[in-house]
Amino acid sequence: MQKTYYDPSDLKKFGKISEWNEELGSKFFEYYNSVFKEGSLSEREKSLIALAVAHTIQCPYCIDAYTGDGLQRGITKEEMMEALHVAGAIRGGATLVHGVQMMNKVNKLDG
Amino acid sequence: MTKLKTQSLHKRESKLAQANKQLEILSNGIFQNGELPTFAKKIAESNQFPLRPKKLEILQINVGYMCNQVCTHCHVDAGPDRKEIMTKETMQQCLEVIKNTGAHTLDVTGGAPEMNPNFKWFVEEASKAGIKDFIVRSNLTIIRANKKYHDLPEFFKKHKVHVVSSMPHWTQGKTDKQRGNGVFKQSIQALKDLNAIGYGIPNSNLKLDLVYNPSGAFLPGDQAALERDFKKALLQDFDIQFHNLFAITNLPISRFLDYLIASENYEDYMYALVEAYNPSAVKNVMCTNTLSVSWDGYLYDCDFNQMLELPVNSKVKHISEYNESLLQDRDIVISQHCYGCTAGAGSSCQGTVASN
Ligand code: SF4
Ligand code: SF4
């Protein structure tokens, strides 16, 4: 039996998800590939966004993929870490901004 | 990345300094047990085995393995401690060939070719042959290394030399990590010197191209996108201009192979190369239009085969017995390092070879 839920080699098999639903799988990959093409944002900027989101959703496949993608694009480790801090700030901020809700409730019930 | 070494594998008497040890590694393990297909098997899938040359376009001459740098990825295992230097006599034999070859490009490389004591004489003589494109691969820092080299930009200009130089990144950190402390600053100064006399300026016929190769165990990204980023950063930060950027894949030989093994990246890197294999890159790999001459005058399919001591599979083995038509009728010698030339958009000394 497989000992872990995640296997790095599964990333290479991502495309196989189309085998069980060709139509939706192909639509997804077509969409995915279009998203990462140069548009108003450069491919480089999109790669950094993907890296930050990958850490936010804590997807090991995506972290693996977009760290490698960043290196290939010449993105520096300083840029990568800055992108992560943006993700971290939003994550932390999202926790803390709910503090207002907590404060409202405390003030209402026990103010 | 492992710590930057200051000596070549040869000087360190590393096992990997021996070509047969490198070839053994490339043939054993994952390629022997069938986990990955050999390069021969892979190209046979699209009926491209054996690999054969097309028209000869580029004559690449390696005038010696001595270099002022000891870059971590160097496929030549070059460094100040290498003593293999082309003699004037062998240069003379090369000149005879240069005068009569059908190739339109002469590509002089090393080591740091400028460190050959007869380099200037050779360039002067070779430039008289009227070859269309005369390339010298200059590592940039050599221009700043010693006073005697400060006039190189003017010398290149006088002989209409096309300068091709390595630059792994537009930031100091990544460049120095691969090429040594201080290399970035020196390279920037050398580029400024070249720009100042017209090299690399848009529409100037003094050609200045840069070579990018990754600073670690990953493949280069899209060449055009990297060129855009390099141009933007070098212009913005240093007011430097250049013409084209060639994105080159590191081949798993010599010091880069040593690095891959030491950093436990070898297998993953070979997997990445095989996975990125692009059959349409095969027909334009460098060996199909290039011949490589070593410092001692022997002939090879490419500079990589030269370092692996895999001579041309032809009756003609040496520049002194050069015969272009006989040489063209040969099978190219391949091994698993060749996967480095066929990954993605392909890779050669002139950059990518196929559009994806
Ligand atoms: S990569 Fe070029 S500059 Fe660096 S050590 Fe090798 S020959 Fe010299
Ligand atoms: S390594 Fe040399 S022989 Fe092999 S494909 Fe590349 S250019 Fe050809």
Side-chain angles (χ1 to χ4, degrees):
Chain A
M1 207 190 103
Q2 191 177 317
K3 294 254 168 48
T4 54
Y5 284 108
Y6 287 114
D7 178 349
S9 69
D10 282 350
L11 175 58
K12 299 189 188 95
K13 302 176 194 149
F14 189 12
K16 284 188 191 277
I17 63 145
S18 299
E19 285 175 9
W20 288 11
N21 189 326
E22 178 65 36
E23 189 200 345
L24 295 180
S26 331
K27 279 189 173 154
F28 169 77
F29 284 114
E30 201 190 321
Y31 166 74
Y32 190 101
N33 291 329
S34 306
V35 163
F36 282 96
K37 288 219 172 87
E38 179 105 20
S40 302
L41 294 177
S42 68
E43 291 183 350
R44 199 169 192 280
E45 287 163 333
K46 290 182 185 187
S47 178
L48 276 169
I49 295 172
L51 184 72
V53 175
H55 283 79
T56 311
I57 58 172
Q58 291 168 327
C59 168
Y61 299 119
C62 310
I63 293 172
D64 189 343
Y66 284 95
T67 305
D69 186 71
L71 285 172
Q72 291 195 359
R73 292 181 191 285
I75 295 174
T76 61
K77 59 185 186 206
E78 290 80 11
E79 291 172 303
M80 290 188 197
M81 190 52 90
E82 263 184 48
L84 255 62
H85 277 289
V86 174
I90 295 296
R91 270 214 128 162
T95 303
L96 293 174
V97 74
H98 285 81
V100 179
Q101 195 179 343
M102 171 190 77
M103 288 160 79
N104 287 345
K105 182 97 182 169
V106 169
N107 287 340
K108 179 155 186 252
L109 297 180
D110 196 23
Chain B
M1 174 75 77
T2 42
K3 210 171 148 279
L4 211 63
K5 305 281 198 311
T6 51
Q7 291 183 327
S8 68
L9 295 173
H10 277 78
K11 181 79 180 173
R12 282 184 265 148
E13 290 176 8
S14 156
K15 259 204 264 169
L16 275 183
Q18 297 163 35
N20 60 350
K21 284 279 173 278
Q22 299 176 44
L23 286 165
E24 230 174 82
I25 291 168
L26 289 167
S27 303
N28 291 345
I30 40 180
F31 291 102
Q32 195 177 44
N33 67 18
E35 251 182 72
L36 292 177
T38 61
F39 189 70
K41 201 165 161 201
K42 196 77 187 167
I43 62 173
E45 281 171 15
S46 49
N47 297 321
Q48 301 189 85
F49 182 83
L51 205 51
R52 301 272 301 172
K54 297 183 293 195
K55 194 178 163 321
L56 180 73
E57 296 182 71
I58 304 166
L59 197 61
Q60 189 172 59
I61 300 182
N62 194 318
V63 296
Y65 303 159
M66 188 183 276
C67 189
N68 58 320
Q69 292 184 189
V70 195
C71 306
T72 47
H73 68 285
C74 182
H75 75 270
V76 178
D77 192 26
D81 53 57
R82 295 301 298 266
K83 304 287 179 254
E84 298 86 342
I85 289 284
M86 187 179 273
T87 61
K88 201 164 179 178
E89 189 194 347
T90 307
M91 284 179 160
Q92 200 73 274
Q93 292 168 340
C94 291
L95 286 169
E96 283 313 306
V97 171
I98 293 164
K99 278 181 212 151
N100 300 307
T101 175
H104 56 62
T105 299
L106 175 63
D107 186 340
V108 176
T109 187
E114 301 92 334
M115 289 178 92
N116 183 308
N118 296 305
F119 170 76
K120 282 193 173 166
W121 170 81
F122 182 61
V123 169
E124 274 161 16
E125 292 303 310
S127 65
K128 291 179 195 157
I131 289 236
K132 213 169 110 207
D133 192 7
F134 186 0
I135 296 172
V136 171
R137 292 186 186 264
S138 174
N139 69 21
L140 294 175
T141 59
I142 190 76
I143 297 177
R144 309 294 312 166
N146 187 307
K147 265 214 176 96
K148 69 176 174 191
Y149 298 122
H150 285 1
D151 66 343
L152 276 170
E154 285 293 349
F155 175 78
F156 289 146
K157 181 176 178 172
K158 183 169 167 217
H159 297 285
K160 299 195 177 58
V161 166
H162 171 179
V163 178
V164 177
S165 296
S166 286
M167 191 88 190
H169 204 262
W170 57 84
T171 59
Q172 180 170 351
K174 289 197 93 156
T175 300
D176 287 0
K177 193 176 74 155
Q178 183 191 79
R179 299 177 75 78
N181 277 341
V183 166
F184 184 74
K185 254 173 101 180
Q186 297 279 356
S187 304
I188 290 294
Q189 191 50 52
L191 286 171
K192 283 181 186 247
D193 294 351
L194 287 162
N195 274 177
I197 57 166
Y199 268 103
I201 307 299
N203 300 322
S204 162
N205 53 13
L206 294 170
K207 295 282 284 171
L208 172 62
D209 296 330
L210 294 185
V211 167
Y212 158 86
N213 58 309
S215 54
F218 53 93
L219 308 185
D222 178 63
Q223 180 169 276
L226 283 165
E227 182 180 291
R228 267 202 309 276
D229 290 338
F230 262 88
K231 284 198 164 157
K232 198 170 137 206
L234 288 180
L235 187 66
Q236 235 170 41
D237 299 348
F238 305 102
D239 208 18
I240 283 171
Q241 292 177 291
F242 66 94
H243 290 128
N244 300 303
L245 181 92
F246 304 144
I248 297 189
T249 304
N250 288 310
L251 262 66
I253 67 169
S254 193
R255 288 214 285 267
F256 190 67
L257 179 60
D258 180 58
Y259 154 70
L260 287 176
I261 293 170
S263 60
E264 295 179 5
N265 277 307
Y266 170 70
E267 288 196 1
D268 285 346
Y269 192 74
M270 295 314 289
Y271 263 95
L273 286 181
V274 174
E275 207 169 294
Y277 171 78
N278 175 2
S280 74
V282 178
K283 53 180 179 300
N284 294 324
V285 281
M286 193 162 63
C287 48
T288 58
N289 71 351
T290 305
L291 262 176
S292 151
V293 187
S294 64
W295 66 278
D296 51 357
Y298 284 92
L299 300 166
Y300 299 85
D301 299 300
C302 67
D303 207 48
F304 305 113
N305 282 6
Q306 184 185 136
M307 302 313 150
L308 289 172
E309 295 169 18
L310 298 169
V312 276
N313 183 6
S314 163
K315 266 203 280 231
V316 182
K317 295 267 184 234
H318 194 266
I319 192 84
S320 57
E321 54 197 29
Y322 192 85
N323 177 323
E324 210 149 283
S325 54
L326 259 183
L327 272 163
Q328 288 307 93
D329 184 22
R330 70 183 202 276
D331 291 347
I332 290 162
V333 184
I334 55 170
S335 180
Q336 282 51 259
H337 63 296
C338 297
Y339 274 117
C341 295
T342 56
S347 174
S348 76
C349 287
Q350 332 290 324
T352 58
V353 297
S355 46
N356 269 353

